Amino acid sequence: MNTTNTRKVDLIQPNEYFIIQDLIFEWARAIDENRVEDIAKLLNSQGRYTVKSRFNHDRDLPLAVIDCHSAAQLRDRILSMRLANVYEPQHYRHMISGIQVTDRQGQIIHTRSNFMVVRTMELDGEVKVIFTGQAQDIIELQGSDAKFKERLMLFDSRVIETLLVIPI
């Protein structure tokens, strides 16, 4: 992936940018609105969704907190979250900024964006920033639609405070 600091706005048309932006925002919105099952629909059937620390990624270490190699595997994880996992009810709110196109090969678009996830605990109302980081996405344009081929969520902290139940 081309990660130089040069601007790549000439790689896509404005309408394509809005399609990409909407895909990224819809992922966050689905989680924030407790429609987590919908994120699997935003991933290609053979797409990959990974949540990894920047520390491990920068050192090419393989350990990831979540690493789903298909939309079906992501659906299974979400089903387990709904039916088998026991955790205190909580809500996420995503803040996304700096969506940039970094490369393009045909209908395959590489992007990066910043994210922050705030968690609110349902029982006591405690609010806490639980993740900050960068999303590195590979998105396939499909006419006026788009899906993630790869979604890599790199969180800045070397650790997370509790088990990550809800995808970010």
Side-chain angles (χ1 to χ4, degrees), residues 58-73:
D58 290 349
R59 287 157 184 79
D60 211 18
L61 298 172
L63 182 63
V65 179
I66 297 176
D67 195 11
C68 296
H69 292 255
S70 69
Q73 191 176 15

Side-chain angles (χ1 to χ4, degrees), residues 96-124:
I96 299 168
S97 68
I99 299 171
Q100 292 181 306
V101 172
T102 58
D103 201 6
R104 179 176 194 156
Q105 297 99 34
Q107 295 305 101
I108 306 299
I109 311 292
H110 295 249
T111 67
R112 64 181 173 204
S113 58
N114 301 319
F115 66 87
M116 179 172 69
V117 181
V118 177
R119 179 188 66 200
T120 303
M121 303 306 287
E122 190 173 296
L123 298 179
D124 66 7

